[in-house]
Amino acid sequence: METMESTQDAAPDAPPFPRIISVDDHTVEPPDVWQDRLPAKYRDRGPRIVRAPLKEMTFLGGKFAPVMGEKGDEGPIGDWWVYEDLHRPLTRLDTAVGYDRDEIKLEVITYEQMRRGSFSVPDRLADMDVNHVQSALCFPTFPRFCGQTFTEAPDRDLGLLCVRAYNDWMVDEWCGPDAQGRLIPLPLIPLWDPVLAAAEVRRNAARGVRAVAFSEIPPYLGLPSIHSDDWDPFLAACDETGTVVAMHIGSSSRMPSTSADAPPAVGSTVTFANCCFSMVDWLMSGKFERFPNLKVMYAEGQIGWIPYILERADVVWEENRGWGGVADKVHRPPSELFAGHVFGCFFDDAFGLRNLDAIGVGNVLYETDYPHSDSTWPKSRQVGEEQMGHLAPDVVERIVRGNAIELLGLTEDGLWPGAVSAS
């Protein structure tokens, strides 16, 4: 197991690499998040941990399919989130840092088998120190990347309570005073109701939150597209409060793949595809014209694909807008809209950094993806130094922390003001 950072020292005349603000890490929720916060009558149906054997588990064609066994069944033992009819195990892919790449398998695990920084604030801060990370924005695990777990459940009253309970835990505990301002809150919304979603955005904005998780392609979840007016109450609340719409790959519950029997390596190679499709949706939707303060970011989407998509979108807008359905709502070239509203996030993208001038220094953010299998922990500083060595120090500063400070409303020191003021 890897436990210590192993970075090469920078050249003696080089400025020190900036302390990283990661805009895409993950939390594995402790077992008591919902049991401690739901009304008593809901606790037997709300999210809870059950230790049980695994009967079978596959991950093909972008679809994750685990089957939980019963007590006494044979099979590896793991901790499972149980919520209404859903049985979702914790797996090694949820928390893989510290393991050699070849040791990372699709297998069930217990809390005792994961790195404590996955769910414990003090241990997370220690692992951030090892990785030269100052602050981190964390996406959820059990609720999935935008809370679609609660959207898919039958009981919407319980779902709303679960969303609010998660947000209270995220703001008050995960990002509370013990985090020293180093953990940045990312709440969820009730995706099934844009009016309730708007209320939740405003509730959290009132306590200093400046980001919210959302799906990159809502129709994949059976929800309206971004081209409709259905989302306008939610978008208006984000525009009004300066809340960034944060979309993680896979937040539509449909990972890109090519066939039902394609191995996970196929989907893992093309994970950026949903971000690509989503960005074109937003650029051609007219929403940035209607909500001028609205900003969106793509976590773990990488950035190397962006220049061509912007070039193609501009050509289509210029040459085909008469029949393309956008002439009456998109009044500027998509590349201009991108510059003012869209942010790409990467943890390992040398190609994108070589083409930074075609993306925009102000539109790029850095991430570490802790504790997932793709994470660059504990070598995120080394990876950054190697891939950004050709860039001027002020450009590196903006990418590694400056853009995140501005976008997420952090202090000049890169901390979340809500926890700083509370402490």
Side-chain angles (χ1 to χ4, degrees):
M1 293 177 60
E2 300 175 8
T3 56
M4 295 299 293
E5 180 180 22
S6 57
T7 61
Q8 298 175 347
D9 292 335
D13 56 344
F17 194 77
R19 288 288 300 280
I20 297 165
I21 297 178
S22 174
V23 295
D24 170 32
D25 284 1
H26 299 265
T27 177
V28 177
E29 298 80 20
D32 58 0
V33 168
W34 288 276
Q35 291 297 297
D36 283 357
R37 291 168 181 79
L38 289 176
K41 67 177 182 178
Y42 286 114
R43 288 175 192 160
D44 60 343
R45 289 192 294 123
R48 59 203 181 277
I49 286 291
V50 173
R51 187 158 291 185
L54 171 72
K55 291 185 68 174
E56 60 180 285
M57 181 164 58
T58 58
F59 190 12
L60 293 173
K63 184 177 181 180
F64 179 48
V67 179
M68 187 174 82
E70 298 180 356
K71 186 176 181 180
D73 287 346
E74 294 185 359
I77 301 297
D79 283 335
W80 296 69
W81 280 106
V82 177
Y83 169 48
E84 295 199 327
D85 296 329
L86 175 66
H87 299 157
R88 196 280 195 195
L90 296 175
T91 76
R92 177 55 63 206
L93 301 187
D94 292 324
T95 172
V97 292
Y99 285 78
D100 182 87
R101 297 289 184 184
D102 292 334
E103 295 178 359
I104 301 171
K105 310 292 183 182
L106 182 59
E107 59 184 352
V108 296
I109 61 171
T110 66
Y111 277 90
E112 289 81 7
Q113 293 171 305
M114 71 175 68
R115 194 171 184 88
R116 286 188 55 81
S118 303
F119 60 90
S120 161
V121 170
D123 295 283
R124 173 60 65 92
L125 298 186
D127 278 356
M128 289 163 63
D129 288 338
V130 166
N131 201 29
H132 199 64
V133 172
Q134 180 189 35
S135 307
L137 180 80
C138 296
F139 285 82
T141 296
F142 167 69
R144 310 214 298 284
F145 295 147
C146 66
Q148 59 265 52
T149 293
F150 303 125
T151 299
E152 295 167 354
D155 189 334
R156 292 289 172 78
D157 291 335
L158 174 56
L160 180 59
L161 290 172
C162 286
V163 167
R164 290 175 174 166
Y166 177 87
N167 292 343
D168 290 343
W169 168 80
M170 166 64 64
V171 174
D172 297 335
E173 291 195 29
W174 184 252
C175 301
D178 288 347
Q180 305 166 27
R182 298 179 61 188
L183 295 174
I184 306 163
L186 180 65
L188 307 175
I189 56 170
L191 290 161
W192 60 90
D193 188 324
V195 174
L196 290 176
E200 192 63 13
V201 167
R202 292 188 173 96
R203 182 174 84 94
N204 289 299
R207 43 187 180 175
V209 176
R210 290 295 177 266
V212 64
F214 191 62
S215 172
E216 82 266 67
I217 307 179
Y220 285 178
L221 300 176
L223 300 170
S225 82
I226 203 65
H227 300 286
S228 74
D229 293 335
D230 296 74
W231 293 108
D232 285 3
F234 163 66
L235 298 180
C238 293
D239 180 77
E240 168 195 318
T241 59
T243 298
V244 179
V245 178
M247 295 172 283
H248 194 284
I249 58 166
S251 56
S252 60
S253 295
R254 188 187 301 181
M255 294 298 290
S257 192
T258 55
S259 64
D261 59 349
V266 172
S268 186
T269 302
V270 297
T271 50
F272 71 91
N274 281 357
C275 296
C276 172
F277 300 157
S278 173
M279 189 179 80
V280 175
D281 256 352
W282 282 90
L283 294 176
M284 298 298 187
S285 69
K287 299 303 182 184
F288 295 140
E289 307 269 6
R290 295 185 56 200
F291 302 104
N293 296 318
L294 188 63
K295 292 180 171 58
V296 305
M297 57 168 272
Y298 289 100
E300 208 172 322
Q302 312 299 349
I303 59 175
W305 53 272
I306 292 175
Y308 170 72
I309 295 301
L310 292 179
E311 178 183 285
R312 177 60 183 163
D314 278 357
V315 169
V316 169
W317 178 81
E318 183 65 36
E319 297 183 357
N320 301 337
R321 65 177 179 266
W323 60 267
V326 296
D328 61 338
K329 58 184 179 181
V330 182
H331 306 133
R332 290 184 290 154
S335 60
E336 290 187 15
L337 296 172
F338 172 89
H341 298 274
V342 183
F343 297 81
C345 311
F346 77 100
F347 56 78
D348 183 3
D349 194 337
F351 179 83
L353 289 167
R354 291 196 300 270
N355 294 274
L356 192 59
D357 58 338
I359 304 170
V361 172
N363 297 84
V364 174
L365 306 168
Y366 199 40
E367 59 190 21
T368 78
D369 197 31
Y370 178 104
H372 284 181
S373 60
D374 275 339
S375 177
T376 51
W377 187 94
K379 302 178 180 179
S380 300
R381 174 181 179 177
Q382 179 179 333
V383 171
E385 288 175 336
E386 291 172 351
Q387 295 193 353
M388 300 183 212
H390 64 292
L391 299 174
D394 63 318
V395 172
V396 175
E397 175 78 19
R398 289 190 66 183
I399 292 172
V400 173
R401 57 185 291 112
N403 290 337
I405 289 173
E406 181 177 351
L407 182 65
L408 299 173
L410 307 180
T411 69
E412 292 182 1
D413 294 327
L415 303 175
W416 179 51
V420 174
S421 60
S423 60

